[in-house]
Amino acid sequence: MAASSTRKNPIRLLLICVAGWTALITLAHLAANVGFSGFAEDARVALGLERRSLRVGFLPVT
Amino acid sequence: MDWTTRHSKRGALFESRRYSDWPTLAEDLSTGNLTASFLLAPMAMSLKQRGVPIRVVYLGHRDGTTLMVRADSGITRFDQLRGKRILVPSRYSNQKLWIARLLRENGMTFSDVELSDCPPPDMPAMLATGGCDAYATGEPHAARAEMAGTGKVLLFTKDSWPNFISCVLVVREELIRTRRDLVQELVDGIAGSGLWLDRSQENRFEAADVVGKYYYNQDPELLRFVLSKPPDRVRYSQLTPLRKDFDEIMNLAVGSGMLERPIAFEEYADPSFADAFPGSPLPMPGDTEGTKP
């Protein structure tokens, strides 16, 4: 039923394809450039749930 | 780190994580458990060659390494260390390369001395008990023996290899890719603190008191000694990674077998953060002219 309706409505099919492609590109960008944990951290920082943090290792010499 | 946090424009939290040995630190950096760290310069090159995605973005300090011998040894020249046991912090340390350089300058090779690794905090006791004849390490572990009267300075790097680099600041490449602003704030904070430290002896004493008490768990008098006797024993300015310095380290590391093959500066260093540093000391407590260059 749904398949036949999209076949009958090319605009709807186009919108579904564009939305799917956008979601795919967004996920690929998150995976390649941000990382899902980084994205989750961004979201928590944006929502004010935590501060952005960076831990720096050192040995107590000089 | 606390002061960098306090001056973070984005409200970021910078924390320090203390390690007691280099291999554990390198392992955490390799696995991604740690994304930023101070690390021995040749160790950073070696890790990069082994596929660990890190970049040197800044230096920890310049000079600040000393070659110590027993106070009662009668040794006054490097060539008198022939046949003696010398300790270095790690086989990937710049201190080992300094010894290689000194051996070459004195017509000697590694086969003329007995070189061993030792954690820097243990070195003064090793020297005092006869476990070694000399050691080369970053401060404050040379000054400890000097203050205790068990050791004496044979050489400072500042006189033997000026602008010596020991520790460098490395960050993982994904942090540069995804959190460039955070890395810049870290570099700005370290650079700004360094400029403030090198501005006056009073600033150095103030830092020794705070750092000794709250961070290093060291006697503030020891750190005051390190930062003043002589004042240029260790320097915290001019910390941009420079190709000529690193090429010299890399060539020595290849020559001494520390690195398997040469590695180009561009592969492991990213001086863009140091270049973008605005050049102002961080304002410190009670410091009315802290923002002036």
Side-chain angles (χ1 to χ4, degrees), chain B residues 40-154:
Chain B
L40 296 165
M43 190 178 275
M45 294 177 189
S46 174
L47 285 179
K48 181 68 185 186
Q49 272 194 336
R50 284 184 274 157
V52 179
I54 53 170
R55 293 272 171 169
V56 175
V57 295
Y58 207 58
L59 308 185
H61 56 87
R62 283 199 184 261
D63 304 319
T65 279
T66 309
L67 180 59
M68 299 295 294
V69 293
R70 268 203 304 279
D72 59 359
S73 66
I75 294 172
T76 56
R77 298 188 322 272
F78 182 82
D79 61 1
Q80 291 174 296
L81 288 175
R82 191 183 294 271
K84 305 287 187 188
R85 185 168 191 230
I86 306 173
L87 304 180
V88 292
S90 157
R91 64 192 175 108
Y92 289 108
S93 64
N94 239 15
Q95 283 77 14
K96 183 180 173 185
L97 296 182
W98 183 33
I99 298 298
R101 206 171 183 260
L102 287 166
L103 288 168
R104 193 179 62 193
E105 286 170 4
N106 286 272
M108 297 157 69
T109 66
F110 279 125
S111 62
D112 289 312
V113 293
E114 185 191 343
L115 211 60
S116 302
D117 295 356
C118 178
D122 298 342
M123 289 180 177
M126 289 287 280
L127 188 71
T129 58
C132 68
D133 301 291
Y135 67 80
T137 191
E139 298 292 357
H141 304 295
R144 278 172 55 206
E146 199 180 354
M147 280 183 78
T150 53
K152 67 176 180 182
V153 175
L154 183 63

Side-chain angles (χ1 to χ4, degrees), chain B residues 16 27 34 38 69-70 74 76 97 119 173 183 204-205 215 224 226 233 248 292:
Chain B
S16 50
E27 178 65 21
L34 191 66
F38 288 99
V69 293
R70 268 203 304 279
T76 56
L97 296 182
E173 288 172 351
V183 177
R204 287 179 157 233
F205 284 154
Y215 297 94
R224 280 174 167 250
V226 168
R233 189 172 183 135
E248 183 176 12
K292 291 178 185 172

Side-chain angles (χ1 to χ4, degrees), chain B residues 1 19 21 44 56 63 134 145 160 169 171 192 196 210 238 242 248 250 254 260 264 290:
Chain B
M1 289 301 145
Y19 287 80
D21 63 90
V56 175
D63 304 319
S160 157
L169 177 65
V171 296
W196 180 84
V210 172
Q238 297 179 335
L242 299 176
E248 183 176 12
M250 187 268 293
V254 172
E260 290 174 3

Side-chain angles (χ1 to χ4, degrees), chain B residues 127-195:
Chain B
L127 188 71
T129 58
C132 68
D133 301 291
Y135 67 80
T137 191
E139 298 292 357
H141 304 295
R144 278 172 55 206
E146 199 180 354
M147 280 183 78
T150 53
K152 67 176 180 182
V153 175
L154 183 63
L155 280 170
F156 288 121
T157 44
K158 72 180 183 67
D159 302 319
S160 157
W161 187 355
N163 296 319
F164 178 83
I165 295 167
S166 176
C167 285
V168 295
L169 177 65
V170 299
V171 296
R172 282 182 64 95
E173 288 172 351
E174 70 263 23
L175 190 69
I176 293 178
R177 206 167 52 240
T178 61
R179 299 279 180 272
R180 194 172 177 88
D181 56 340
L182 209 57
V183 177
Q184 187 65 59
E185 279 202 333
L186 177 64
V187 170
D188 289 352
I190 294 167
S193 304
L195 284 184

